[in-house]
Amino acid sequence: MSQFALLGKRRFAPFFWTQALGAFNDSAFRNAMVMLAAFQMGLPERQVSLYTNLAPALFILPYFLFSATAGQLAEKFEKTRIIRYVKLFEIAAMLLAAWGFHTHHLVLLLIVLFMMGVHSTVFGPIKYAILPQALKPTELVGGNGMVEMGTQLAILVGMIVGNALMLLAGVGPLASAALTIAVALAGYSTSRAIPPAPATAPELKFNWNPVTETARVLGITRSDRAVFNAVLGISWFWFFGTVLVAQLPIYTKFNLGGDGSVSTLVLTLFSLGTGVGSLLCEKMSGKRVEIGLVPLGAFGLTAFGIDLYFARPGAAVLQGLDWLAFLHAAGSWRIVLDLTAIGVFAGFYVVPLFAFVQARAPREKLSRIIAGNNIINALLIVMASMFGLLLSRLGMSAAEIFAVDAVLNVVVAAYIFSLVPEFLMRFITWVLVNTLYRVRADGVQHIPEEGATLLVCNHVSFMDPLLLMANLRRPARFVMYYRIFNIPLLRFVFRTARAIPIAGYKEDPAVLQQAYDAIDEALADGEVVCIFPEGGLTGDGQIATFRPGVEKILARRPVPVVPMALRGLWGSVWSRRDSMLRRARLPRRFRARVELVVDAPLAPQQVSAAMLEVRVRELRGDLA
């Protein structure tokens, strides 16, 4: 099912339109207010600058003040009811804004801007915490991509419409007021159709002290290292994007020689690119939470950010170009490509991170973790604004700041990936598997979402663990022959994936016993363990006799067993027949079509090695 089919589902569509309308109204109101101050009131430049710089600070201040409280609300109470209260609050804010537009009362409009910041602060933890409740695991990446795409397009359209309406001669304030009120009413109307989303922690003791609760929320966010580093990655994305977007107006005017229409084009390219990248995540990840896309996104942000600098490092020869003249100017399409590609790779970067946090964080703490994420985001946005201002004061041009931002992205990404090697490991796995094979997975939903599980699979190639790793939704501990575990190029991947090396009893009984102990410990911790009961790679493409090790594992720790079968691997890259370790020529079946078939779980009491062998043979089609 395509991710766009979610727009036809009641469990997703009303929420999607509610959040998109809210993002539109935020953008439309803010830009209308800036246009009012800058063009309609005849204020001096210094005063206009004060209001335009104060506006972002007032909008982001509630994230520091109320995010922790918002996280508690989202977990203690039913989420849909809170959304409706938030939408009613938005209607009240837009009614105040209408009076502010009519009277040109900028102080009142700044108060409304603060109120809209409160609106977004309370809605934020619900926005991402509600998705795992409404969507199936296979829909999580696609749903996040749709939300990110919808948000980007809503912000873009809101900016364009907000600017245009306020500049309408004679009726700008009235038109802006009517639009924002109508959109707020529409948002409340769509929120009425959102299905109930029960509280995930109704017993939570509410803490009204924002200081102590903020400290507690940040502590919860830091409690899981992988989740916290994903949060840091998301916050870094906001830092990178804030520095980039803040320089675009100056870059457009001086480096591109463009007018306001070129500024709109530049923002449109970035927003559309982000939307496209967000939507592509589902297809590229195979509907799984694939954090291997994050390093790819980081690489693209840096590569195209640096190229954006080299594309136009100095001032434009011609000034005052409209968007059409700019597109016809020499070198412009390279800039168009860079801006769009930065958006696309931004989507690859941020969507898997959000999906990872939603999938990995405990459901009863997710809203507070999202709240902690929002606090850190707000902090890095403020730091990004100060950073960009500092570089400008040091005399750097907008293009030079782009280059600094891109290079800094390499440093931060390397730091995050060094803290959590799983990101880089998944990237290597994703690249290898998608380069060497074309994989179709069937039945992966049979693997339990929680609790200890033992997976058994036939063993065809040296790449089997990587191939399975790339297609299973839950992280799995793979038991593999220690010589394969120590292959130089793949050792980093296997160690990072916490694979368990094993040897035969005659070969190394100590390693064998250590493997059994590690398997039992992993299952005791509720993890997924995958074994290849044949005890080695197939030598002729057929399934060998299953050894009794599986029975020893289950006798020690009875857990559900999930049979799996790999089809189409024999004779492909890294299978024994065409192993590049054995032949000094390219294998015959590069990019082989491979299938992974997963069966329903079996109770440990009914399992034996012989019975599992028969079942895996059936799954592979040997007994059809």
Side-chain angles (χ1 to χ4, degrees):
M1 183 182 72
S2 166
Q3 56 198 320
F4 288 101
L6 291 173
L7 293 177
K9 306 290 184 181
R10 182 170 175 249
R11 54 193 168 89
F12 180 79
F15 166 76
F16 172 85
W17 293 113
T18 299
Q19 66 86 25
L21 289 168
F24 173 94
N25 237 15
D26 275 344
S27 179
F29 168 74
R30 276 187 288 169
N31 283 277
M33 187 190 75
V34 170
M35 290 298 103
L36 177 68
F39 297 103
Q40 299 281 30
M41 296 179 62
L43 298 176
E45 183 177 349
R46 184 180 297 271
Q47 195 170 352
V48 173
S49 177
L50 172 65
Y51 285 122
T52 55
N53 284 284
L54 185 59
L58 282 174
F59 185 79
I60 207 168
L61 181 60
Y63 283 91
F64 291 106
L65 298 177
F66 307 124
S67 284
T69 302
Q72 292 181 94
L73 286 171
E75 285 179 355
K76 186 173 180 60
F77 302 105
E78 196 274 320
K79 294 178 180 61
T80 304
R81 183 172 55 173
I82 301 174
I83 291 175
R84 291 167 187 164
Y85 285 140
V86 168
K87 293 291 112 180
L88 289 173
F89 180 82
E90 180 186 358
I91 293 171
M94 291 302 99
L95 289 173
L96 278 178
W99 181 253
F101 284 145
H102 176 67
T103 60
H104 291 192
H105 198 311
L106 284 179
V107 174
L108 178 60
L109 291 175
L110 289 174
I111 292 173
V112 172
L113 185 63
F114 179 83
M115 293 174 67
M116 291 302 290
V118 174
H119 161 274
S120 296
T121 299
V122 177
F123 190 74
I126 300 173
K127 176 178 178 178
Y128 291 104
I130 201 173
L131 289 178
Q133 289 183 267
L135 302 179
K136 301 173 184 176
T138 54
E139 297 170 336
L140 197 55
V141 173
N144 274 278
M146 291 291 292
V147 168
E148 188 64 30
M149 177 273 297
T151 300
Q152 290 294 328
L153 293 184
I155 291 172
L156 174 65
V157 176
M159 176 197 72
I160 296 171
V161 174
N163 288 350
L165 287 184
M166 185 54 73
L167 295 178
L168 290 175
V171 295
L174 177 62
S176 298
L179 173 73
T180 52
I181 292 172
V183 172
L185 289 169
Y188 175 73
S189 177
T190 56
S191 74
R192 299 289 302 176
I194 301 175
T200 52
E203 74 291 343
L204 180 69
K205 186 177 180 180
F206 209 89
N207 180 12
W208 290 102
N209 186 323
V211 177
T212 58
E213 185 59 28
T214 295
R216 185 166 71 172
V217 161
L218 291 176
I220 293 171
T221 306
R222 293 181 59 187
S223 61
D224 185 301
R225 181 183 176 188
V227 170
F228 180 63
N229 282 285
V231 166
L232 291 182
I234 294 168
S235 297
W236 169 250
F237 167 78
W238 283 105
F239 182 102
F240 180 92
T242 299
V243 172
L244 179 74
V245 172
Q247 308 308 315
L248 286 180
I250 301 171
Y251 179 76
T252 299
K253 183 175 181 180
F254 293 103
N255 294 76
L256 304 185
D259 61 9
S261 66
V262 178
S263 181
T264 301
L265 173 64
V266 163
L267 286 171
T268 300
L269 292 171
F270 179 72
S271 298
L272 289 177
T274 304
V276 170
S278 299
L279 293 177
L280 285 174
C281 284
E282 183 186 54
K283 181 174 180 59
M284 294 181 69
S285 66
K287 298 187 177 183
R288 295 177 303 277
V289 178
E290 181 51 82
I291 58 173
L293 293 178
V294 178
L296 177 65
F299 171 79
L301 290 176
T302 290
F304 288 99
I306 291 176
D307 193 67
L308 187 62
Y309 163 73
F310 285 110
R312 191 70 63 83
V317 176
L318 300 175
Q319 296 291 326
L321 301 176
D322 63 15
W323 69 274
L324 194 57
F326 163 72
L327 290 178
H328 284 90
S332 295
W333 283 101
R334 178 179 175 183
I335 296 168
V336 168
L337 172 64
D338 285 337
L339 289 167
T340 306
I342 288 172
V344 170
F345 282 94
F348 293 164
Y349 184 90
V350 76
V351 169
L353 286 175
F354 270 121
F356 178 80
V357 171
Q358 292 162 353
R360 188 70 66 91
R363 191 68 59 86
E364 70 279 5
K365 295 180 180 178
L366 178 56
S367 295
R368 282 175 289 174
I369 289 173
I370 296 297
N373 169 75
N374 290 344
I375 294 170
I376 300 172
N377 287 355
L379 177 62
L380 263 73
I381 288 171
V382 172
M383 291 173 62
S385 299
M386 297 172 63
F387 180 73
L389 183 62
L390 174 63
L391 294 185
S392 297
R393 292 292 175 88
L394 292 175
M396 285 191 175
S397 68
E400 289 171 334
I401 293 175
F402 290 159
V404 171
D405 200 25
V407 171
L408 192 57
N409 181 60
V410 175
V411 177
V412 173
Y415 173 69
I416 293 175
F417 300 150
S418 69
L419 291 178
V420 188
E422 185 179 354
F423 286 96
L424 191 56
M425 177 271 291
R426 294 290 304 191
F427 172 66
I428 294 171
T429 303
W430 182 81
V431 170
L432 283 174
V433 170
N434 285 278
T435 300
L436 300 176
Y437 306 103
R438 288 170 289 178
V439 185
R440 177 179 175 270
D442 184 29
V444 289
Q445 72 277 5
H446 291 314
I447 299 174
E449 294 295 332
E450 296 179 345
T453 305
L454 184 66
L455 310 179
V456 297
C457 189
N458 60 315
H459 203 4
V460 187
S461 79
F462 292 102
M463 291 291 290
D464 290 355
L466 295 186
L467 195 149
L468 294 173
M469 195 184 303
N471 287 277
L472 301 177
R473 292 201 300 269
R474 286 183 66 186
R477 302 278 302 275
F478 290 89
V479 181
M480 61 177 59
Y481 185 47
Y482 75 104
R483 293 189 186 277
I484 298 178
F485 179 90
N486 288 317
I487 291 175
L489 292 177
L490 299 179
R491 181 177 173 84
F492 164 76
V493 174
F494 294 144
R495 286 179 65 88
T496 304
R498 299 166 61 226
I500 300 171
I502 195 169
Y505 179 79
K506 294 181 180 180
E507 196 169 11
D508 196 326
V511 171
L512 177 63
Q513 186 58 46
Q514 289 170 6
Y516 277 124
D517 291 342
I519 292 168
D520 186 68
E521 183 180 349
L523 293 174
D525 291 338
E527 296 185 271
V528 176
V529 175
C530 180
I531 65 171
F532 302 98
E534 295 166 272
L537 295 181
T538 177
D540 57 6
Q542 302 302 311
I543 295 177
T545 302
F546 278 19
R547 298 185 179 182
V550 62
E551 296 172 0
K552 295 179 182 179
I553 293 170
L554 295 174
R556 191 169 171 181
R557 183 77 54 181
V559 297
V561 182
V562 177
M564 306 188 302
L566 287 167
R567 300 173 178 170
L569 269 174
W570 178 245
S572 68
V573 176
W574 295 107
S575 69
R576 188 179 292 279
R577 180 181 176 187
D578 286 311
S579 172
M580 292 174 67
L581 296 175
R582 288 175 171 263
R583 295 191 178 194
R585 64 179 178 82
L586 289 176
R588 289 187 293 109
R589 293 186 56 227
F590 185 76
R591 293 285 291 164
R593 293 187 181 275
V594 176
E595 289 183 89
L596 169 64
V597 185
V598 183
D599 199 11
L602 300 172
Q605 296 80 11
Q606 68 184 91
V607 167
S608 68
M611 185 268 278
L612 286 173
E613 179 186 334
V614 171
R615 188 65 193 121
V616 173
R617 287 179 180 275
E618 290 174 345
L619 291 173
R620 209 182 74 147
D622 294 352
L623 305 179

